[in-house]
Amino acid sequence: MIPNILSIAGSDPSGGAGIQADIKAISANGGYAMSVITALTAQNTQGVRAVHLPPVDFIVEQANAVFDDISTDAVKIGMLANADITRAITTILIERAATTPVVVDPVMIAKGGASLLDPSGVDSLITQLIPQATLLTPNLPEAAFLLGCAPAQTETEMEIQATALRTMGANSVLLKGGHLDGQFSHDCLATADGIDWLQAPRILTRNTHGTGCTLAATIATNLGHGQSPALACTNAKRYIHATIEQAHQLKVGSGHGPVHHFTESHSCH
């Protein structure tokens, strides 16, 4: 069976991040992609120019249209923009997807520095949405922001922060170490069973637009295939490495280019 995967996130007209990246990642990994658009952005590989938010009632109506008709095997949450949207999505998850795996990518700041979640939204993310997460996938700056501390500089600090994030209610946390220096990119997976480390050789490239979206959507798809969180993250790490490695085949924009979602050098599931 092909799992049905719902992405709840913002739209990127340049195609590298957000809903567009999620649909590509879900499709490339053997899922059927569905979407609820929480925000319309005007952005490209150079940065975010503007953000327009649909009415919350319309966002809810999108989600209800999906849940009323289609069985959903996993949900990926991306950009939510503010507290009203965050609360509405949390309510939907509790009412319509209580037993469905949920991957929360805490999208707060764009790669170019634009804010994608206001302060009240951060509070709602911490107190309401994160406790509904099967897996939380912050990068180092996002983890530090959520915890109110400095970004981790070492693997020991990453372990401490990943474990601390689990106390916010997420079943598991994948703390992404891409912002650290070094020959390898290390990610720290904290689960009820302890700490696991996922690593891949670091690739020196500017083509990293949408990597967080792509990774989270891939993990959600893998969970929809019935994989454990540890296996879902391991396979997603392998996939995202391949998409970055092959991104040079694309000629998209003059800033941070997108990854190559449909590379053939990965195993779907």
Side-chain angles (χ1 to χ4, degrees):
M1 295 293 294
I2 294 174
N4 300 323
I5 312 299
L6 175 61
S7 170
I8 302 176
S11 171
D12 172 9
S14 72
I19 287 289
Q20 287 82 347
D22 292 349
I23 289 173
K24 294 172 189 176
I26 293 165
S27 301
N29 286 277
Y32 176 78
M34 305 174 290
S35 66
V36 169
I37 297 177
T38 58
L40 303 174
T41 71
Q43 67 173 294
N44 53 31
T45 65
Q46 298 177 3
V48 177
R49 299 183 177 186
V51 176
H52 174 73
L53 302 181
V56 175
D57 289 349
F58 182 72
I59 295 173
V60 171
E61 195 64 23
Q62 291 180 74
N64 284 332
V66 172
F67 285 117
D68 284 346
D69 184 47
I70 304 170
S71 62
T72 302
D73 297 295
V75 178
K76 180 260 179 172
I77 309 290
M79 179 182 176
L80 295 176
N82 62 34
D84 289 341
I85 296 173
T86 303
R87 284 194 293 265
I89 293 303
T90 302
T91 299
I92 289 169
L93 293 177
I94 293 171
E95 294 178 349
R96 309 300 300 267
T99 61
T100 303
V102 176
V103 177
V104 175
D105 183 21
V107 177
M108 292 182 285
I109 301 173
K111 195 175 297 293
S115 175
L116 300 178
L117 183 64
D118 67 21
S120 64
V122 174
D123 290 340
S124 296
L125 175 70
I126 292 172
T127 61
Q128 299 176 38
L129 183 57
I130 288 178
Q132 308 305 319
T134 305
L135 182 73
L136 181 70
T137 63
N139 59 31
L140 297 184
E142 290 164 346
F145 195 87
L146 291 171
L147 293 170
C149 64
Q153 299 290 326
T154 66
E155 290 185 8
T156 299
E157 291 178 353
M158 286 181 65
E159 288 190 12
I160 293 171
Q161 292 191 13
T163 301
L165 287 168
R166 280 198 72 237
T167 67
M168 291 182 175
N171 287 345
S172 301
V173 174
L174 181 67
L175 179 54
K176 301 173 292 188
H179 285 78
L180 292 182
D181 295 326
Q183 183 179 358
F184 292 90
S185 174
H186 299 277
D187 298 338
C188 180
L189 177 62
T191 69
D193 296 325
I195 297 292
D196 286 318
W197 284 95
L198 312 179
Q199 72 173 30
R202 188 177 300 277
I203 300 170
L204 298 179
T205 177
R206 287 175 57 82
N207 298 321
T208 56
H209 184 52
T211 50
C213 306
T214 297
L215 180 69
T218 302
I219 294 170
T221 306
N222 292 342
L223 292 173
H225 281 295
Q227 297 177 16
S228 68
L231 182 59
C233 290
T234 298
N235 287 339
K237 176 78 168 179
R238 184 181 302 116
Y239 169 70
I240 194 67
H241 179 79
T243 65
I244 297 171
E245 189 176 49
Q246 299 300 317
H248 67 276
Q249 298 183 45
L250 302 174
K251 303 298 180 185
V252 180
S254 57
H256 290 282
V259 300
H260 184 10
H261 290 90
F262 294 100
T263 173
E264 296 180 356
S265 58
H266 78 283
S267 175
C268 285
H269 48 273

